[in-house]
Amino acid sequence: MDERWVRALRAQFPVTEKTAFFDIAYENCGSRFAREAMERFYEDKAAVGPGLVKAGGAGKGPAIEVIARTRARLARFLGAPDIRRIAFTKNTNEGVNLLLQGFPFRRGDSVVVGDLEHASVLMPCLNVRRLGAECRVARSPDGCTLPEELLLSAADGTTRIMVVSAVQSCSGYQLDLKRLAGECHTRGIYLIVDGIQALGFRRMDVSDLGIDALTASCYKGLLATEGVGFLYCAQALMEQVAPVFAADSPALGIDRESWSITCPDPGDARKLENGTISFMGIYGLDAGLERLMEIGMDRVERHVSDCFEYLYRGLEGLGFVIDTPFLPARRCHSLLVREQRSQELVDYCLERGVLFSRGRDGHVRISVAPFTTRGDMDKLLDTFRQWKQA
């Protein structure tokens, strides 16, 4: 379980010197390699001289190369066909908003979303009402799971778009995206996915899954930092989406004869980028992707799954009830554990060097990282045992 790559990756995260870290479902707390990459951004920013290439909002000098490299690396990581399917954003919410606010809804159209979704997903869906569309909210039967059948039962002939999370933030419940995408497409529905709780913990190949769009922030499993995100969008959907922000980008320009905005390729996702993008954040993302791709997502996914199972069985053995499914197809990296005194347990454990988050009412949320070790997990289980005995 504690392979050399796990220990080496763990050493890159200073938070692990202070605590046994189980809070990556909230954030990764920052790495040395991302910090070094962002420091290189400032060095590159000052690297001026004859022949310096400038690209307006796309930066200058070495930054242009880093942005191009990161976009290409991200496309490979996601299994996207080419870089034109990738736009940089600030966060998950911006990606969802860009698609929904730019989509040509007609009065009477509908969007389907689940009630378990994070506000970053739910609010943009509710906001389509201002465009004349209806937002239908599918209800979870137990506050933890929301199967594909229930999402699809909320859709009908008016539904144009369904928005879901690959893995639920609140419960760790994982959808069968390939099956859901296939069902959506037979009904003429586009499927937009929030990937923040899945990316960096399991392989996600957008071409194999058949999803129409994937958006995420990068400060969790992608091992970058806040302020940078991305949007992948398949050509068929992107060709229908109008830019919410009309800004100078690799995909948009101005015809100064007709005084109109030009977009030579309506399927180019870069048309949605809002002017100057997060250069420094992209440097950090490039470093995070480089690490994950060097390790290999098959190895990361196996390790995360092994850690999940070890903690699940250990916590059950202590008498705790876990609401996240154990079935591998229905879980990823986080466990929703019942505890009525949830905030007291969070504080008790943090005082003893174990970090995780309070979950929804009456629960705590424990999440394993690619760099979680056996020692970290044993420390958490020992602390939970002490809590039970106190």
Side-chain angles (χ1 to χ4, degrees):
M1 189 175 288
D2 288 359
E3 295 184 56
R4 181 180 299 176
W5 70 263
V6 176
R7 298 193 301 272
L9 187 60
R10 186 180 190 275
Q12 289 290 319
F13 287 82
V15 69
T16 63
E17 298 168 4
K18 304 174 183 178
T19 67
F21 179 69
F22 294 95
D23 208 23
I24 198 166
Y26 187 74
E27 64 150 326
N28 64 46
C29 283
S31 68
R32 291 186 169 90
F33 57 77
R35 180 174 180 172
E36 291 167 2
M38 291 186 285
E39 287 173 351
R40 284 196 299 275
F41 162 71
Y42 279 104
E43 294 172 3
D44 289 348
K45 193 174 178 65
V48 297
L52 179 68
V53 177
K54 295 183 178 181
K60 69 178 188 294
I64 299 173
E65 299 173 11
V66 173
I67 291 165
R69 182 177 71 222
T70 308
R71 198 188 301 269
R73 184 170 273 160
L74 184 56
R76 291 197 304 276
F77 185 79
L78 299 174
D82 63 69
I83 65 167
R84 294 174 303 140
R85 304 290 166 254
I86 305 293
F88 288 116
T89 64
K90 294 191 293 293
N91 49 48
T92 309
N93 177 265
E94 185 178 37
V96 178
N97 268 299
L98 287 170
L99 293 175
L100 294 183
Q101 293 298 313
F103 190 79
F105 288 111
R106 294 171 294 185
R107 189 163 297 278
D109 286 344
S110 66
V111 170
V112 169
V113 68
D115 66 339
L116 297 181
E117 293 296 341
H118 192 281
S120 294
V121 172
L122 192 52
M123 291 178 75
C125 294
L126 295 171
N127 201 34
V128 301
R129 292 167 177 164
R130 61 183 288 274
L131 303 176
E134 178 187 0
C135 177
R136 297 180 179 175
V137 182
R139 305 282 182 171
S140 166
D142 54 13
C144 181
T145 64
L146 187 53
E148 297 81 20
E149 293 81 3
L150 291 181
L151 288 162
L152 291 165
S153 69
D156 63 15
T158 70
T159 305
R160 307 294 303 282
I161 290 176
M162 183 178 291
V163 187
V164 301
S165 289
V167 175
Q168 282 296 335
S169 173
C170 67
S171 66
Y173 179 74
Q174 180 170 263
L175 283 172
D176 183 343
L177 291 177
K178 190 168 187 175
R179 178 188 169 210
L180 184 59
E183 291 289 340
C184 283
H185 293 162
T186 63
R187 306 177 187 209
I189 300 170
Y190 292 110
L191 183 63
I192 298 173
V193 179
D194 166 13
I196 194 170
Q197 294 290 350
L199 288 161
F201 307 109
R202 51 159 289 193
R203 290 183 300 110
M204 288 197 75
D205 185 314
V206 294
S207 298
D208 178 62
L209 293 171
I211 59 179
D212 299 292
L214 177 69
T215 184
S217 298
C218 302
Y219 60 88
K220 300 186 184 187
L222 291 179
L223 309 184
T225 191
E226 293 84 353
V228 62
F230 74 88
L231 167 64
Y232 156 80
C233 189
Q235 184 172 352
L237 174 57
M238 183 51 61
E239 287 180 347
Q240 296 193 59
V241 175
V244 175
F245 306 105
D248 187 27
S249 78
L252 293 181
I254 299 175
D255 183 333
R256 294 183 179 272
E257 293 294 324
S258 63
W259 291 110
S260 60
I261 296 172
T262 60
C263 181
D265 180 4
D268 192 332
R270 294 175 295 177
K271 71 184 183 182
L272 301 185
E273 291 180 348
N274 184 14
T276 303
I277 53 184
S278 176
F279 301 142
M280 186 167 66
I282 291 170
Y283 271 65
L285 174 58
D286 187 50
L289 289 171
E290 181 179 24
R291 293 288 171 132
L292 290 170
M293 294 172 81
E294 282 178 352
I295 296 165
M297 283 308 302
D298 286 342
R299 295 167 77 186
V300 171
E301 186 171 342
R302 282 195 303 271
H303 177 72
V304 168
S305 181
D306 288 346
C307 290
F308 180 99
E309 292 181 9
Y310 186 84
L311 279 179
Y312 197 106
R313 292 191 172 101
L315 289 167
E316 274 197 330
L318 293 174
F320 288 92
V321 176
I322 302 163
D323 285 336
T324 307
F326 183 80
L327 188 67
R330 289 303 187 186
R331 43 84 166 176
C332 186
H333 72 294
S334 61
L335 302 89
L336 188 67
V337 184
R338 292 186 196 176
E339 174 52 62
Q340 288 303 316
R341 297 158 58 201
S342 56
Q343 188 58 55
E344 291 179 51
L345 177 56
V346 169
D347 293 340
Y348 178 91
C349 289
L350 188 53
E351 288 172 358
R352 289 156 180 79
V354 179
L355 175 63
F356 53 88
S357 283
R358 181 181 179 184
R360 60 190 311 149
D361 291 347
H363 294 81
V364 296
R365 183 181 66 180
I366 298 167
S367 51
V368 298
F371 49 86
T372 297
T373 64
R374 173 75 172 266
D376 292 329
M377 293 186 289
D378 287 341
K379 185 172 183 178
L380 181 143
L381 293 173
D382 286 343
T383 308
F384 271 57
R385 184 178 296 107
Q386 294 165 21
W387 166 264
K388 277 279 193 182
Q389 296 170 349

